[in-house]
Structure formats: structure tokens, C-alpha cells
Amino acid sequence: MRGAATIAKTAPSRLRSLRWRLLGAVCAAVLLLWLLTGWLSYTQAQHEAEELMDGNLAQTGRLLLAILHDNEDDLRELAGRLATVRGAADNIYEPPLEFQIGRGDGSILARSEAAPNLPVLGVAGYSDILRKDASWRVLNVASGDGRFRVQVAQSIDLRDRAALEVASQTVLPLAALSPVLILLIYLSVLRALRPLDRLAGEVAARSPDNLAALPDQDVPTEALPLVGAINRLFQRVTRTLDNERRFTADAAHELRTPLAALKVHTQVARLCREDAQRDHALQQIECGVDRATRLVEQLLRLARLDPLSALPAPGAVDLHALVEGAIDAVRQANPGASQHITHSLPADTPEVAGDADLLQIALRNLLDNALRYTPPQAAIEVTLEDDGDTLHLAVQDNGPGVAAETLARLGERFFRGGDSKVEGSGLGLAIVARIMALHGGRLTLTNRPQAGFRAALCGLRRAAAR
């Protein structure tokens, strides 16, 4: 039972093996070629044997006619003299020829001992005759003056044996050389697939953290796309691991401070004797939880965006509805904000190609930043610019702007510019930049010439016409 199970497991693995598939296909082709060659050789040999033996019949018939003109008086003894030089009955290389010699009136003058009993006045030329369960190839010829007629015959079975013998001599060497040919093919396939074996061995011997690109030297041309795909996979896995390590490090670093603050406020609340102080401490705990929640949400959002190489759900996005929805969401999330948020998008604003959810996240982050870093009663406006090829959606305000040395670092993860007292994690603009990269655009941050700050989603492409 164990041996049967081993054979059952080995057979499917060989069927899946490229080496065995190639060997099987080549061996089948060789066998088919050998059979075809044998059949063609037999057919051709049979045809050539028939042509050769028909030629012998014709030559013998003409010789007998020539002998008749000079030995007409000795025809009675001709059969006996010819019988002394005839070959063996089963000799395919010296096949005996049976003959009959007669006059123009059909009378028989001489005949060989085994000649078929046929009238010599038959139709001139070749014919196949069946007599006494034997098949004969017969040739009837006549002299020029019509005085004599000669009939020569040869066994068809003997002719077929001669054709088979010639064909066998052609095919048997091929059959003898076939095992040698298959062995050479097997060795050639092994040698040709050896680079793949080395490649598989190198991958198997690697440690889990070794994601360096595989070398493509000495790799067959057919395997280069596979090596390239594996190397690209290694690159994607490397980026994924880097993102995970960075996320873990960022989360550990950034969550340490709010968690420590929560612990402090919790201890204060437990030690407070007065209700007012306890309420204040609990309020601080609630604010700390909100900050930690926002930080975790942004970290998770970045963790989801970093591995992406393309948009998850691209489509046509209505910018007018997108802007109004983002403004409403920001107002609801900041009910105490006194800044004025407006937009100047026309009603016929074109649709853009992208992901509506991600674009709204980007726009909400820009609006939220504008609310955080502008003074009360400031004006915040969402504008749209069209340069003919792409669209630029911008959030601008009339606040104090950003210092030149800080402007260059905006968008870096965990970098907070402006007022350090404003709550935030420094991830909002990094999320916007990543979303724009997925859309094939960019985030531009500039100070306005008059006063204020401008953050723009540049390079949005128009959606295809439906």
C-alpha cells in the first residue's frame, strides 16, 4: 500500500514537471517520426521493388525474344538449359522468373516447370493473375513480326517480401539509434534546464529576510520574465515590510506621549477631592482620547495607502458635490469654528478621474488644517483652476501664512509647522500627498502674495466622456 501511494504521488508530480513534459513530447515526436519513416520507407521500397522487378520481367522477355530468332530449332532444350541457372524459389535477391514461349497462333513451344498455366495470347503488357492460390505478376510480349510470343511471370508474394526486406533494412537502423537519440535528448534537456535548477536552489537557500534581486546572468531567455517578476515581487515585499516597520516605529513613538498624558490625567482625577478639579481632569482625559483616536486613524489610513500602487476604486468624481460634502463635514466636525468657508466652483464644473472617498479625505484634511492654523473670523475659500490639460483644486485662506523655513518641511510625516499649541499629529498633509501621488498629481503648498496660505491638489485629470 505504501509503495502504491508513493507511485501515485510521483506520477502527478512528473506530469507537472516541465522536464518530463518536454521529454515526453520529444520522445512521442521521435516515435511518431520513426513510425512515419518506417511506413514511408516500406511504401517507397515496395514501389521501387515493383519497378525493379517489372524491369527484370521486361528485360527477360526481350532476351527470350532475341534467343528465339537465333535458336528456333533448339526451343525444346531451352527450358532445360534455363532451369540450370535459375535461382532458389525463396531467394528474394535472385527471384526466379517463370516463362512460356509460344507461336503467334498460341501454341506453346517451351515453358518453365513452375510457370502458371496461362494462354500466351493474353493482352500485351503487365497484369496481375491469381492461379492456384498464388498471385503472379505477368508480362506478355510479342516479336515484331508476330511469329512468337513470350510470357514471363513472377510471384507477387516474393516481390512483397523483397519490398519488406528493403524497408526493414532502412527502418531497423533508425530503431537501433532511437534509444541513443532519446538519451541524448534527455541529457540535452537536463543541461538546458540546469540554470532553472540553480535558480530554484538559490531561492530555496535564502533566508526569509534576504529580498535582494535574483541575478539574471546565465538565465535562459525564456526564464528572464519569471526572474524579473520575482524581483519585482521582492521589491514590493521589501516596500511592504519597510512600511510596516515604519508604521510600527511611528505608532510606538507618537502614541507614547498621548498615552503618558492619559495616565497622568487619570492619576490626577483619582487623587482630586473637589468635583471641579475632577471634572477638569476627566475633560483632559476625554481630549487625550480624542487626540489618540485621531492619531490612530491617521496612522491606519497611511498604512492602508502606502502599499497601494494604483487607485482601489477609480471612477468619475463630481467636484462640485465633493467640495460641498467636504465643507459640510468639516463644519459638523468643528461646530465652534468661526471661520467663513466658501467655494467659488461653477455649476458646470467638470468631473475628474479618481477615487471620490480618497479625494474627499484629502480636501477635508486641507480644510481642517486651514481651520486649525487661521485666526477666528478668517476667510477660507475653495477654488478651482483649469490649465487646459488638468485641474487644480485649492484651499486658500487670508491667515498669517507659514514661515519660509517651515514651508519647505510641510508634508513630512509628524512634522508640525506653525503654532505648536495647535493640536495635531503632523500626518494630515502626508496623507494628502500620498493620495495625490495615487492620482498621478501632487500637493503644492505656497504662501499667497497678499497674505495667507494656499494648499492645492494639482494635476487632477478630467474623467472620460460617458
Side-chain angles (χ1 to χ4, degrees), residues 46-317:
Q46 186 179 35
H47 175 73
E48 293 298 329
E50 290 176 353
E51 292 286 339
L52 179 61
M53 291 182 179
D54 282 349
N56 289 337
L57 287 177
Q59 185 178 24
T60 301
R62 289 194 296 268
L63 287 174
L64 290 175
L65 284 177
I67 290 173
L68 289 177
H69 287 286
D70 299 329
N71 302 278
E72 184 177 351
D73 298 333
D74 300 326
L75 290 179
R76 301 287 181 182
E77 301 176 1
L78 179 61
R81 292 197 298 269
L82 291 176
T84 61
V85 297
R86 65 184 278 121
D90 58 348
N91 189 343
I92 62 175
Y93 298 104
E94 296 180 11
L97 294 175
E98 309 299 340
F99 65 89
Q100 291 188 118
I101 302 174
R103 296 186 182 276
D105 59 1
S107 60
I108 302 298
L109 298 177
R111 67 189 302 272
S112 62
E113 181 179 355
N117 187 13
L118 299 171
V120 295
L121 293 179
V123 178
Y126 296 97
S127 59
D128 294 331
I129 304 297
L130 178 64
R131 285 291 186 274
K132 295 182 181 180
D133 297 331
S135 299
W136 295 89
R137 180 72 167 170
V138 178
L139 173 64
N140 290 311
V141 293
S143 61
D145 56 8
R147 295 174 52 199
F148 300 101
R149 298 184 69 88
V150 172
Q151 184 184 82
V152 288
Q154 192 175 58
S155 171
I156 291 180
D157 292 339
L158 192 63
R159 291 160 66 98
D160 290 341
R161 286 173 53 198
L164 181 61
E165 179 69 18
V166 174
S168 299
Q169 296 302 321
T170 303
V171 175
L172 287 178
L174 293 177
L177 291 176
S178 293
V180 178
L181 177 60
I182 292 175
L183 178 61
L184 292 177
I185 292 172
Y186 175 75
L187 296 176
S188 300
V189 170
L190 287 182
R191 182 179 179 84
L193 296 180
R194 194 169 298 163
L196 295 181
D197 295 333
R198 288 198 298 267
L199 183 63
E202 181 177 349
V203 174
R206 286 193 171 199
S207 60
D209 57 347
N210 184 3
L211 296 176
L214 294 173
D216 55 3
Q217 292 83 4
D218 299 329
V219 175
T221 303
E222 293 77 9
L224 284 177
L226 175 61
V227 174
I230 292 176
N231 287 337
R232 289 191 294 272
L233 176 61
F234 282 170
Q235 292 174 0
R236 292 196 297 269
V237 173
T238 300
R239 287 195 299 268
T240 300
L241 292 177
D242 290 342
N243 291 333
E244 290 181 355
R245 295 188 188 102
R246 182 168 57 186
F247 172 78
T248 303
D250 292 346
H253 178 269
E254 294 300 321
L255 287 174
R256 187 181 296 115
T257 299
L259 291 177
L262 284 175
K263 183 177 181 180
V264 170
H265 292 310
T266 303
Q267 293 173 346
V268 170
R270 188 172 62 244
L271 297 175
C272 285
R273 297 289 183 259
E274 297 181 4
D275 293 341
Q277 292 179 344
R278 186 180 298 109
D279 291 342
H280 178 73
L282 293 175
Q283 185 179 6
Q284 293 299 316
I285 292 175
E286 185 177 359
C287 292
V289 171
D290 291 340
R291 287 195 296 271
T293 301
R294 176 178 172 81
L295 175 60
V296 170
E297 288 177 351
Q298 291 185 322
L299 284 171
L300 292 176
R301 187 171 293 140
L302 272 177
R304 288 193 297 267
L305 292 176
D306 278 339
L308 296 179
S309 58
L311 292 175
V317 180

Side-chain angles (χ1 to χ4, degrees), residues 330-339 376:
V330 170
R331 284 173 177 166
Q332 292 176 8
N334 300 272
S338 58
Q339 291 91 336

